[in-house]
Amino acid sequence: MTMIRLFRPRVVSPVVNSVSTWSDVLDRFFENDNRLDYGYSSPKTNIMETEDSYKIEMFTPGVSKSDIKIELENDVLTVSKSVKQDEEESTTYRLREFANGTFERRFSLPDDVNAENIKADYNNGILTLTIAKKEEAKPVKRAISIE
């Protein structure tokens, strides 16, 4: 079974002298904390598969759909949001747990997807991407009679 996978470039870690993913390196550096000090957080994601399509749901509350950018290049689907700084310079935060930050998630698409048929919907803070499968990848069902 082929499925959509998170795209994680491989790098050589100078600390461990082994091949790791960027995510592994960052996890070790930030002690598995998925938040960085620059307002970056990776949205929680669900990936589902049906007979006809793949569906990716991303939890992005407080993000305007006009700030979300979706691109497909070389079978890698990228969903990102850029920094938006609207606050006045005089604002001093005593505590700031949510911010206008950035995120980027990349997904390697399998060979059985129809890259021409990707639909995006944004509703109540959840971005839903529906990626249709190619016709030949869909399972064929037929009844077989008993003689």
Side-chain angles (χ1 to χ4, degrees):
M1 172 170 75
T2 310
M3 63 182 278
I4 296 174
R5 300 191 186 284
L6 289 175
F7 180 80
R8 293 189 170 136
R10 306 220 42 79
V11 296
V12 176
S13 171
V15 177
V16 186
N17 286 334
S18 65
V19 176
S20 300
T21 64
W22 278 110
S23 179
D24 295 337
V25 173
L26 288 175
D27 282 349
R28 279 195 302 274
F29 184 77
F30 290 103
E31 299 176 5
N32 294 321
D33 188 1
N34 203 23
R35 292 173 298 154
L36 306 181
D37 293 333
Y38 303 107
Y40 174 92
S41 67
S42 183
K44 302 296 182 199
T45 303
N46 296 327
I47 301 175
M48 298 155 282
E49 180 179 5
T50 66
E51 290 181 6
D52 299 331
S53 65
Y54 293 99
K55 188 178 284 190
I56 300 173
E57 293 177 332
M58 298 180 76
F59 184 61
T60 57
V63 176
S64 172
K65 71 178 179 180
S66 62
D67 293 337
I68 298 173
K69 184 177 177 182
I70 304 168
E71 296 179 319
L72 178 65
E73 182 178 355
N74 297 328
D75 294 329
V76 176
L77 183 68
T78 304
V79 180
S80 61
K81 176 194 175 273
S82 60
V83 176
K84 185 178 180 183
Q85 297 295 334
D86 289 339
E87 295 102 24
E88 297 177 21
E89 293 291 326
S90 63
T91 303
T92 302
Y93 286 91
R94 300 293 182 215
L95 174 67
R96 187 170 187 181
E97 293 185 338
F98 62 93
N100 288 328
T102 64
F103 67 76
E104 181 175 276
R105 294 293 301 260
R106 291 181 171 189
F107 304 94
S108 295
L109 299 182
D111 294 333
D112 66 345
V113 301
N114 180 353
E116 302 298 319
N117 193 358
I118 299 175
K119 296 178 182 163
D121 181 50
Y122 190 73
N123 191 14
N124 294 329
I126 297 178
L127 174 66
T128 303
L129 299 167
T130 304
I131 307 161
K133 290 183 179 179
K134 294 177 182 173
E135 287 299 321
E136 60 268 15
K138 295 178 185 176
V140 177
K141 290 183 183 179
R142 64 183 178 96
I144 300 172
S145 62
I146 300 173
E147 295 181 24

